[in-house]
Amino acid sequence: MGVARKTKSVSELLDVFGQTDNALSVVELVSKLDQHMNKTTVYRILDRLEDGGQLHSFIGKDGLKWYAKCQKCSSSHHTDLHPHFQCRDCGKSECLNVDISIPSVANHRIDSAELLLVGSCQDCLNQ
Amino acid sequence: MGVARKTKSVSELLDVFGQTDNALSVVELVSKLDQHMNKTTVYRILDRLEDGGQLHSFIGKDGLKWYAKCQKCSSSHHTDLHPHFQCRDCGKSECLNVDISIPSVANHRIDSAELLLVGSCQDCLNQ
DNA sequence: ACTACTTTCGCAACTGAGTTGCAATAAAGA
DNA sequence: TCTTTATTGCAACTCAGTTGCGAAAGTAGT
């Protein structure tokens, strides 16, 4: 389905994603939008935006959920297969513009893959 | 540090891992060992075993933590870098004996990587 | 075996991310 | 404007994982 109605909450959330190229954790979004909407609403809108192909999500190294804008994703399937990077120092995550190859595995059907790289980002290396 | 004392609980937990080559979710372990030890104990022993290099862990597609036996891991760093597979039908996870190449990323220092493949396992394909 | 020391365990209470049900609200089309 | 239906807020809940502390059990020394 995705988003059916352009509500104020939806545009506010999209605005936040429009202001950055980084991925955003749900926790961060909920607290950033705390004055504007309920956390349940944040969760539900993120769901719908992912459903509609505007956002994609991944699980960070600590098990928390992150969302980022889609570049080449479609609602049917996410063609924009790319790794994600998470900085162990500052915690920020980002999408990487790198192609990855998914190994084929005997006797398994692979539907999707998620590669998470953990290390130090540029900002944290320079200090 | 790892495990300093060979307690009954530690050997029971290692026994469970000895009986399978699959990865085991913490949730599964806690419920399987429910009659034998407290869940806090399970969490703490798993921590110590990972610390000592006997087990390694990864985060499943739903954000839950999984553990598996180490083959070539050391306590200093896990040299046995391999992807993990999780079946979207039955939920089971396993370590894959496949080498993966970690892309290098400009202006980032990569310390570790985690590749999770999601799809259908052999058992679920055959039914 | 006994003692002393230190790690480990159980318990109970807690934290925090994510979910659910339902009544109230607000888009969008007629 | 009216009606329909998606969306929102709220409050309560679920459940994985954590914490503090007193009790129990390894381990080393004698």
Side-chain angles (χ1 to χ4, degrees):
Chain A
M1 310 276 132
V3 179
R5 293 182 182 177
K6 280 183 283 179
T7 66
K8 201 166 139 188
S9 298
V10 169
S11 8
E12 280 191 81
L13 224 160
L14 285 173
D15 274 354
V16 175
F17 278 97
Q19 285 160 18
T20 180
D21 280 328
N22 281 344
L24 299 165
S25 72
V26 179
V27 173
E28 194 181 346
L29 286 166
V30 166
S31 97
K32 181 173 295 191
L33 294 165
D34 190 40
Q35 310 298 339
H36 301 258
M37 70 192 81
N38 191 271
K39 72 168 178 174
T40 310
T41 303
V42 176
Y43 279 97
R44 291 197 272 224
I45 293 178
L46 290 171
D47 260 4
R48 275 180 271 144
L49 289 174
E50 182 170 28
D51 228 45
Q54 282 117 301
L55 299 179
H56 65 278
S57 70
F58 60 96
I59 306 291
K61 67 185 170 72
D62 39 16
L64 300 192
K65 203 166 189 181
W66 292 72
Y67 283 87
K69 281 177 288 190
C70 282
Q71 304 301 332
K72 288 170 274 180
C73 305
S74 77
S75 54
S76 50
H77 67 295
H78 288 213
T79 51
D80 184 20
L81 180 55
H82 58 263
H84 294 103
F85 173 85
Q86 184 164 13
C87 180
R88 66 156 25 98
D89 300 322
C90 67
K92 283 184 188 159
S93 290
E94 53 185 307
C95 297
L96 296 175
N97 279 323
V98 178
D99 281 331
I100 61 170
S101 58
I102 299 172
S104 62
V105 185
N107 302 316
H108 291 68
R109 192 186 64 219
I110 308 295
D111 294 326
S112 66
E114 190 57 55
L115 175 61
L116 183 69
L117 305 180
V118 177
S120 298
C121 70
Q122 184 163 25
D123 290 345
C124 290
L125 285 174
N126 294 336
Q127 59 185 12
Chain B
M1 308 288 122
V3 179
R5 292 183 183 176
K6 280 182 281 180
T7 66
K8 200 166 139 190
S9 297
V10 169
S11 11
E12 280 192 80
L13 223 159
L14 285 174
D15 274 353
V16 176
F17 278 97
Q19 285 160 18
T20 180
D21 281 326
N22 281 345
L24 298 165
S25 72
V26 179
V27 173
E28 195 180 347
L29 287 165
V30 166
S31 100
K32 181 173 295 191
L33 294 165
D34 189 40
Q35 310 298 338
H36 301 259
M37 69 191 82
N38 190 271
K39 73 167 178 173
T40 310
T41 303
V42 176
Y43 278 97
R44 291 196 270 223
I45 293 179
L46 291 171
D47 259 4
R48 275 181 272 142
L49 290 174
E50 181 170 28
D51 228 46
Q54 282 116 300
L55 299 179
H56 66 278
S57 70
F58 60 96
I59 306 291
K61 67 185 171 72
D62 38 17
L64 300 191
K65 203 166 188 180
W66 292 72
Y67 283 87
K69 282 177 288 191
C70 280
Q71 306 301 333
K72 291 169 273 180
C73 304
S74 76
S75 53
S76 51
H77 67 295
H78 288 213
T79 50
D80 183 20
L81 179 56
H82 57 263
H84 294 103
F85 173 85
Q86 184 164 15
C87 179
R88 65 157 25 100
D89 299 322
C90 66
K92 282 183 188 159
S93 289
E94 53 186 306
C95 297
L96 296 176
N97 279 324
V98 178
D99 280 331
I100 60 169
S101 59
I102 300 173
S104 62
V105 185
N107 302 317
H108 292 67
R109 191 185 65 217
I110 308 295
D111 295 326
S112 65
E114 189 58 54
L115 176 60
L116 183 69
L117 304 180
V118 177
S120 298
C121 71
Q122 184 162 26
D123 290 346
C124 290
L125 284 174
N126 294 335
Q127 58 186 12

